[in-house]
PDB file of all heavy atoms in Angstrom:
ATOM      1  N   PHE G  14     -61.292  48.048 -18.155  1.00 79.00           N
ATOM      2  CA  PHE G  14     -60.158  47.173 -18.461  1.00 79.00           C
ATOM      3  C   PHE G  14     -59.071  47.322 -17.405  1.00 79.00           C
ATOM      4  O   PHE G  14     -58.498  46.332 -16.938  1.00 79.00           O
ATOM      5  CB  PHE G  14     -59.615  47.508 -19.865  1.00 79.00           C
ATOM      6  CG  PHE G  14     -58.498  46.630 -20.304  1.00 79.00           C
ATOM      7  CD1 PHE G  14     -58.723  45.296 -20.619  1.00 79.00           C
ATOM      8  CD2 PHE G  14     -57.206  47.124 -20.392  1.00 79.00           C
ATOM      9  CE1 PHE G  14     -57.695  44.472 -21.024  1.00 79.00           C
ATOM     10  CE2 PHE G  14     -56.165  46.307 -20.786  1.00 79.00           C
ATOM     11  CZ  PHE G  14     -56.412  44.987 -21.106  1.00 79.00           C
ATOM     12  N   THR G  15     -58.779  48.550 -16.997  1.00 81.00           N
ATOM     13  CA  THR G  15     -57.768  48.807 -15.975  1.00 81.00           C
ATOM     14  C   THR G  15     -58.180  48.196 -14.641  1.00 81.00           C
ATOM     15  O   THR G  15     -57.360  47.590 -13.943  1.00 81.00           O
ATOM     16  CB  THR G  15     -57.540  50.327 -15.801  1.00 81.00           C
ATOM     17  OG1 THR G  15     -57.178  50.882 -17.067  1.00 81.00           O
ATOM     18  CG2 THR G  15     -56.457  50.608 -14.783  1.00 81.00           C
ATOM     19  N   LEU G  16     -59.446  48.337 -14.266  1.00 77.00           N
ATOM     20  CA  LEU G  16     -59.927  47.746 -13.013  1.00 77.00           C
ATOM     21  C   LEU G  16     -59.839  46.234 -13.040  1.00 77.00           C
ATOM     22  O   LEU G  16     -59.478  45.605 -12.042  1.00 77.00           O
ATOM     23  CB  LEU G  16     -61.361  48.192 -12.734  1.00 77.00           C
ATOM     24  CG  LEU G  16     -61.526  49.638 -12.282  1.00 77.00           C
ATOM     25  CD1 LEU G  16     -63.005  49.989 -12.188  1.00 77.00           C
ATOM     26  CD2 LEU G  16     -60.849  49.861 -10.950  1.00 77.00           C
ATOM     27  N   ILE G  17     -60.158  45.644 -14.156  1.00 79.00           N
ATOM     28  CA  ILE G  17     -60.095  44.187 -14.277  1.00 79.00           C
ATOM     29  C   ILE G  17     -58.655  43.715 -14.113  1.00 79.00           C
ATOM     30  O   ILE G  17     -58.376  42.755 -13.398  1.00 79.00           O
ATOM     31  CB  ILE G  17     -60.690  43.718 -15.617  1.00 79.00           C
ATOM     32  CG1 ILE G  17     -62.207  43.898 -15.604  1.00 79.00           C
ATOM     33  CG2 ILE G  17     -60.333  42.267 -15.901  1.00 79.00           C
ATOM     34  CD1 ILE G  17     -62.871  43.677 -16.949  1.00 79.00           C
ATOM     35  N   LEU G  18     -57.724  44.390 -14.761  1.00 70.00           N
ATOM     36  CA  LEU G  18     -56.314  43.990 -14.655  1.00 70.00           C
ATOM     37  C   LEU G  18     -55.757  44.250 -13.263  1.00 70.00           C
ATOM     38  O   LEU G  18     -54.947  43.472 -12.752  1.00 70.00           O
ATOM     39  CB  LEU G  18     -55.471  44.731 -15.693  1.00 70.00           C
ATOM     40  CG  LEU G  18     -55.650  44.290 -17.137  1.00 70.00           C
ATOM     41  CD1 LEU G  18     -54.776  45.133 -18.056  1.00 70.00           C
ATOM     42  CD2 LEU G  18     -55.318  42.821 -17.304  1.00 70.00           C
ATOM     43  N   ALA G  19     -56.184  45.336 -12.637  1.00 68.00           N
ATOM     44  CA  ALA G  19     -55.649  45.695 -11.329  1.00 68.00           C
ATOM     45  C   ALA G  19     -56.166  44.785 -10.227  1.00 68.00           C
ATOM     46  O   ALA G  19     -55.486  44.568  -9.225  1.00 68.00           O
ATOM     47  CB  ALA G  19     -55.993  47.139 -11.004  1.00 68.00           C
ATOM     48  N   THR G  20     -57.351  44.231 -10.379  1.00 71.00           N
ATOM     49  CA  THR G  20     -57.944  43.419  -9.310  1.00 71.00           C
ATOM     50  C   THR G  20     -57.706  41.925  -9.479  1.00 71.00           C
ATOM     51  O   THR G  20     -58.160  41.143  -8.655  1.00 71.00           O
ATOM     52  CB  THR G  20     -59.462  43.663  -9.220  1.00 71.00           C
ATOM     53  OG1 THR G  20     -60.070  43.361 -10.479  1.00 71.00           O
ATOM     54  CG2 THR G  20     -59.753  45.100  -8.841  1.00 71.00           C
ATOM     55  N   ARG G  21     -56.993  41.518 -10.519  1.00 70.00           N
ATOM     56  CA  ARG G  21     -56.705  40.092 -10.700  1.00 70.00           C
ATOM     57  C   ARG G  21     -55.744  39.618  -9.626  1.00 70.00           C
ATOM     58  O   ARG G  21     -54.791  40.298  -9.282  1.00 70.00           O
ATOM     59  CB  ARG G  21     -56.063  39.839 -12.066  1.00 70.00           C
ATOM     60  CG  ARG G  21     -57.050  39.753 -13.180  1.00 70.00           C
ATOM     61  CD  ARG G  21     -56.413  39.447 -14.500  1.00 70.00           C
ATOM     62  NE  ARG G  21     -55.424  38.382 -14.409  1.00 70.00           N
ATOM     63  CZ  ARG G  21     -54.606  38.088 -15.407  1.00 70.00           C
ATOM     64  NH1 ARG G  21     -54.638  38.765 -16.522  1.00 70.00           N
ATOM     65  NH2 ARG G  21     -53.745  37.115 -15.270  1.00 70.00           N
ATOM     66  N   GLU G  22     -56.016  38.457  -9.082  1.00 66.00           N
ATOM     67  CA  GLU G  22     -55.134  37.869  -8.087  1.00 66.00           C
ATOM     68  C   GLU G  22     -53.970  37.202  -8.809  1.00 66.00           C
ATOM     69  O   GLU G  22     -54.141  36.623  -9.871  1.00 66.00           O
ATOM     70  CB  GLU G  22     -55.875  36.829  -7.260  1.00 66.00           C
ATOM     71  CG  GLU G  22     -56.939  37.412  -6.375  1.00 66.00           C
ATOM     72  CD  GLU G  22     -57.579  36.355  -5.496  1.00 66.00           C
ATOM     73  OE1 GLU G  22     -56.949  35.303  -5.284  1.00 66.00           O
ATOM     74  OE2 GLU G  22     -58.694  36.603  -5.037  1.00 66.00           O
ATOM     75  N   PRO G  23     -52.788  37.277  -8.227  1.00 68.00           N
ATOM     76  CA  PRO G  23     -51.645  36.629  -8.872  1.00 68.00           C
ATOM     77  C   PRO G  23     -51.829  35.109  -8.875  1.00 68.00           C
ATOM     78  O   PRO G  23     -52.267  34.527  -7.889  1.00 68.00           O
ATOM     79  CB  PRO G  23     -50.455  37.034  -8.014  1.00 68.00           C
ATOM     80  CG  PRO G  23     -51.032  37.465  -6.713  1.00 68.00           C
ATOM     81  CD  PRO G  23     -52.435  37.923  -6.987  1.00 68.00           C
ATOM     82  N   GLN G  24     -51.494  34.511  -9.964  1.00 71.00           N
ATOM     83  CA  GLN G  24     -51.610  33.067 -10.104  1.00 71.00           C
ATOM     84  C   GLN G  24     -50.253  32.440  -9.820  1.00 71.00           C
ATOM     85  O   GLN G  24     -49.228  32.937 -10.258  1.00 71.00           O
ATOM     86  CB  GLN G  24     -52.052  32.695 -11.528  1.00 71.00           C
ATOM     87  CG  GLN G  24     -53.393  33.256 -11.919  1.00 71.00           C
ATOM     88  CD  GLN G  24     -54.524  32.624 -11.130  1.00 71.00           C
ATOM     89  OE1 GLN G  24     -54.474  31.441 -10.846  1.00 71.00           O
ATOM     90  NE2 GLN G  24     -55.518  33.403 -10.784  1.00 71.00           N
ATOM     91  N   CYS G  25     -50.250  31.361  -9.056  1.00 72.00           N
ATOM     92  CA  CYS G  25     -48.998  30.657  -8.833  1.00 72.00           C
ATOM     93  C   CYS G  25     -49.154  29.238  -9.362  1.00 72.00           C
ATOM     94  O   CYS G  25     -50.243  28.673  -9.376  1.00 72.00           O
ATOM     95  CB  CYS G  25     -48.595  30.652  -7.361  1.00 72.00           C
ATOM     96  SG  CYS G  25     -49.760  29.843  -6.271  1.00 72.00           S
ATOM     97  N   SER G  26     -48.051  28.702  -9.785  1.00 82.00           N
ATOM     98  CA  SER G  26     -48.090  27.363 -10.350  1.00 82.00           C
ATOM     99  C   SER G  26     -48.325  26.338  -9.242  1.00 82.00           C
ATOM    100  O   SER G  26     -48.119  26.616  -8.059  1.00 82.00           O
ATOM    101  CB  SER G  26     -46.781  27.057 -11.066  1.00 82.00           C
ATOM    102  OG  SER G  26     -45.733  26.938 -10.124  1.00 82.00           O
TER     103      SER G  26
END
Side-chain angles (χ1 to χ4, degrees):
F14 183 70
T15 304
L16 287 174
I17 289 171
L18 288 179
T20 58
R21 278 182 45 190
E22 292 184 21
Q24 299 292 323
C25 61
S26 69

